[in-house]
Amino acid sequence: MSALTPASEVILRHSDDFIGRRVLFAGDLQDDLPADFDAESVRVHTNQYHHWQMLNASMKEDVQFGLVADAEFIASSDMLVYYWPKSKQEAKFQLFNLLSQLPVGIDVFVVGENRSGVRSAEEILGEICQLDKVDSARRCGLYHGRLEKQPEFDAEDWWQTYMVEEVTIKTLPGVFSREGLDSGSLLLINSFEEPIKGKVLDIASGSGVLASVLATYSPKMKVTLSDVSAPALAASKATLEANGLTGEVIASNVYSDITGRFDMIISNPPFHEGLQTSLHAAEQLIRGAVNHLNIGGKLRIVANAFLPYAALLDATFGSHEVLAQNGRFKVYEATRGRPPRDVKKKKR
């Protein structure tokens, strides 16, 4: 078993409550606790592809990845354990989706770090599931209640739309910059002065805003978008469709499901895993780029200026340029050169 998060350690303090139960795990689960959990049966629904990858090897068909839960998959559960994410609206979307399909009377546990705002669960579920705080440890809160009535849920009601110039952006709870274009992505978009040609891969595509805005002004650009988040993948597809654009949208943990090479890779990479700062995905993005770029292909990313990406770019590519910057962000570009030939000189 991998190292457990504080939230999972709190759950284990109540392990006797789960013996003989049919438990459904969901939410921002970041470890493999369900794979070894002592219960009659354990299933997992996750909106995060890398969490699905982590659990799929051992749990097989008992773990599901997707935007919304499959009713048949969760129907046999008599207990829900929900890990609170950092986004309140994302939590509400996921909980209402799950509880709209679970039977009245089911036990509901909600757990999360206090700084994530887990106490909001009492308010969000108040009209359908009265929650009481049953534990507080490791800077986490654990809440328990029983579902009193099923909420109504229609995923179509959760979509939001905003415009970036003439480009329509579609988005859902849990997608980065849901309310509008963030300043980092704007800086990256504005760093392009000419139309783009060739195959472009947008990693951590979010709402699809980067690829869609650039493709709108670059008719010879062929786009592939990838993300680990089911809401982001749905939003990327919807944004492409809303603008009459074509492109491939792939669930991938950085390069895990990416094949082929590209003329450019673009990204506004995340530097958090849940509430924790994590540079792992961005480091994988930079190190793996040379294996997915054509010779002469370019990696262009935007990042907070304080993050230590310059040295990593130099170590991977040999050099880099800063194309744009402001008080908070820098746009970096690195080019894949031709690998040196291993020529051995013959001794005379």
Side-chain angles (χ1 to χ4, degrees), residues 17-278:
D17 294 335
F18 303 98
I19 296 174
R21 305 298 296 273
R22 300 183 302 277
V23 183
L24 173 66
F25 283 86
D28 192 24
L29 180 65
Q30 297 176 32
D31 57 40
D32 60 357
L33 174 65
D36 256 340
F37 200 67
D38 189 6
E40 180 182 323
S41 67
V42 178
R43 288 190 166 183
V44 178
H45 171 75
T46 177
N47 295 86
Q48 298 295 318
Y49 186 65
H50 56 313
H51 297 168
W52 176 86
Q53 287 179 313
M54 173 179 63
L55 293 166
N56 177 251
S58 56
M59 296 189 69
K60 306 298 182 183
E61 68 276 2
D62 287 327
V63 57
Q64 179 194 68
F65 165 71
L67 176 64
V68 294
D70 178 74
E72 184 177 351
F73 177 79
I74 68 174
S76 64
S77 306
D78 63 12
M79 181 177 286
L80 171 65
V81 178
Y82 182 80
Y83 285 65
W84 194 262
K86 62 182 180 180
S87 166
K88 181 177 177 179
Q89 282 300 304
E90 181 181 13
K92 187 174 182 180
F93 177 95
Q94 293 173 357
L95 281 166
F96 274 44
N97 167 232
L98 293 163
L99 295 175
S100 70
Q101 302 178 83
L102 290 169
V104 170
I106 190 172
D107 281 286
V108 177
F109 284 91
V110 178
V111 65
E113 293 188 42
N114 295 326
R115 61 180 177 145
S116 72
V118 65
R119 60 179 60 89
S120 299
E122 294 179 279
E123 175 190 351
I124 287 176
L125 297 182
E127 295 184 3
I128 60 171
C129 180
Q130 181 78 35
L131 292 178
D132 295 309
K133 193 171 189 178
V134 294
D135 201 354
S136 181
R138 300 299 309 275
R139 299 180 179 176
C140 293
L142 176 65
Y143 298 80
H144 171 259
R146 287 186 174 86
L147 183 63
E148 298 167 17
K149 66 175 182 179
Q150 292 176 318
E152 294 183 0
F153 177 83
D154 184 346
E156 293 301 316
D157 296 336
W158 295 80
W159 285 97
Q160 285 188 203
T161 302
Y162 64 91
M163 303 296 295
V164 176
E165 297 182 0
E166 61 187 64
V167 182
T168 300
I169 308 301
K170 307 287 287 187
T171 188
L172 285 166
V175 178
F176 178 65
S177 290
R178 184 179 180 228
E179 305 299 326
L181 183 65
D182 63 288
S183 56
S185 294
L186 177 61
L187 187 67
L188 178 56
I189 289 170
N190 287 339
S191 72
F192 290 89
E193 298 177 352
E194 301 291 337
I196 306 166
K197 299 178 181 178
K199 296 172 61 179
V200 176
L201 171 63
D202 181 358
I203 293 181
S205 60
S207 63
V209 60
L210 293 178
S212 296
V213 170
L214 294 173
T216 297
Y217 299 103
S218 303
K220 294 184 179 181
M221 173 178 164
K222 183 178 180 181
V223 295
T224 299
L225 300 83
S226 73
D227 207 294
V228 294
S229 160
L233 294 167
S236 288
K237 290 177 183 177
T239 297
L240 288 175
E241 183 178 346
N243 295 284
L245 299 169
T246 59
E248 188 175 11
V249 179
I250 300 171
S252 182
N253 181 9
V254 193
Y255 299 108
S256 68
D257 291 67
I258 302 297
T259 58
R261 293 184 181 271
F262 298 84
D263 300 299
M264 176 169 281
I265 297 172
I266 59 173
S267 185
N268 184 350
F271 63 97
H272 288 96
E273 172 67 19
L275 293 169
Q276 309 302 322
T277 298
S278 174

